[in-house]
Amino acid sequence: RIMAFGSPQWMYASGEDYTIDQSLRHDDGRGTALTRTFAGAGNQKTFTISCWTKPSLQASYQALMVAYQDDNNWTQIGGMDLGESSPTMKVLYQRVGNNSTPIVITTQVFRDPSAWYHIVIAIDTTQGTAANRVKAYVNGVQITSFGTSTYPSQNADIAWINTAMSHRLMATFAGAGDGYLAEYHFIDGTALTPTSFGETGDYGEWKPIEVSGLTYGTNG
């Protein structure tokens, strides 16, 4: 079950430039994930995911997006598991033919289930420099330290992502995730930075802006 409710307490008091007033609550014990199946393929080489999320301790390896073919073939973008002893982010992670294929995993850990995180993941496999093909940002800061960094080859399509199959938001590969989600953007065809979605406040905090003027592409 996904419940919409007002949660203005988590984003800035009255008088600030922009307030996110609502979020979705995902409850992994009460139903299926929020899903979308595209009518056709978009750009599998270049895209951006941006959202504000507060993951819980309940769901295992929930991700910002899961493109799911079957239980043995799927791709996760932005997978986190706050319940594990070392909760890193699986920025790009795949299972192909029942074999896990870690691609880009952070060394940074994320342990606080009470915190909202702004996460931006930008994929652009057309880049000549391997490290520029997968970029991850948390609260406006780019992550540059990875325990696993097997980047896609240049001009590679990311398997299953942005194709005509089920895409699950804030989900495990098998179903619903657990936690909160707000201001979700999927940009098909452009690799963006966090400044398209947020800005630094007067006290150094990262805060949302009213997003406008973006080109969302075929499936965005």
Side-chain angles (χ1 to χ4, degrees):
R1 182 174 62 181
I2 300 171
M3 298 176 290
F5 65 100
S7 53
Q9 73 280 3
W10 69 270
M11 274 299 164
Y12 307 106
S14 177
E16 292 290 339
D17 291 341
Y18 182 68
T19 300
I20 299 174
D21 291 323
Q22 295 185 346
S23 61
L24 296 179
R25 168 136 186 227
H26 294 239
D27 187 339
D28 67 341
R30 300 195 179 198
T32 57
L34 182 66
T35 65
R36 180 176 181 182
T37 300
F38 300 128
N43 193 323
Q44 292 181 256
K45 297 177 175 64
T46 307
F47 53 86
T48 304
I49 294 172
S50 168
C51 70
W52 293 82
T53 183
K54 183 165 71 169
S56 82
L57 297 172
Q58 305 303 316
S60 176
Y61 296 121
Q62 61 191 3
L64 303 184
M65 177 180 280
V66 181
Y68 177 84
Q69 176 172 294
D70 54 48
D71 285 356
N72 295 322
N73 295 278
W74 42 264
T75 296
Q76 287 186 345
I77 306 290
M80 299 171 74
D81 185 357
L82 272 65
E84 66 180 356
S85 59
S86 181
T88 56
M89 183 197 300
K90 295 173 176 63
V91 179
L92 181 58
Y93 191 81
Q94 292 182 312
R95 191 169 183 87
V96 181
N98 204 30
N99 294 310
S100 294
T101 307
I103 297 179
V104 180
I105 302 174
T106 68
T107 55
Q108 180 178 342
V109 297
F110 303 88
R111 292 193 172 96
D112 188 355
S114 67
W116 282 89
Y117 300 97
H118 179 231
I119 298 175
V120 174
I121 295 176
I123 307 293
D124 185 1
T125 67
T126 69
Q127 294 293 317
T129 301
N132 290 335
R133 296 171 196 158
V134 179
K135 294 183 179 180
Y137 308 82
V138 176
N139 298 333
V141 178
Q142 185 175 355
I143 297 174
T144 57
S145 180
F146 299 98
T148 300
S149 55
T150 305
Y151 295 101
S153 58
Q154 189 173 17
N155 294 314
D157 287 341
I158 303 300
W160 304 300
I161 290 288
N162 211 5
T163 64
M165 64 175 54
S166 176
H167 288 63
R168 299 169 176 176
L169 308 186
M170 199 173 182
T172 68
F173 78 92
D178 198 280
Y180 300 88
L181 186 68
E183 283 286 299
Y184 193 103
H185 297 269
F186 175 56
I187 313 298
D188 177 0
T190 311
L192 299 176
T193 65
T195 56
S196 293
F197 311 98
E199 64 183 4
T200 302
D202 293 338
Y203 302 100
E205 78 281 11
W206 186 251
K207 64 180 186 178
I209 60 173
E210 186 170 6
V211 176
S212 64
L214 299 183
T215 300
Y216 283 87
T218 301
N219 291 328

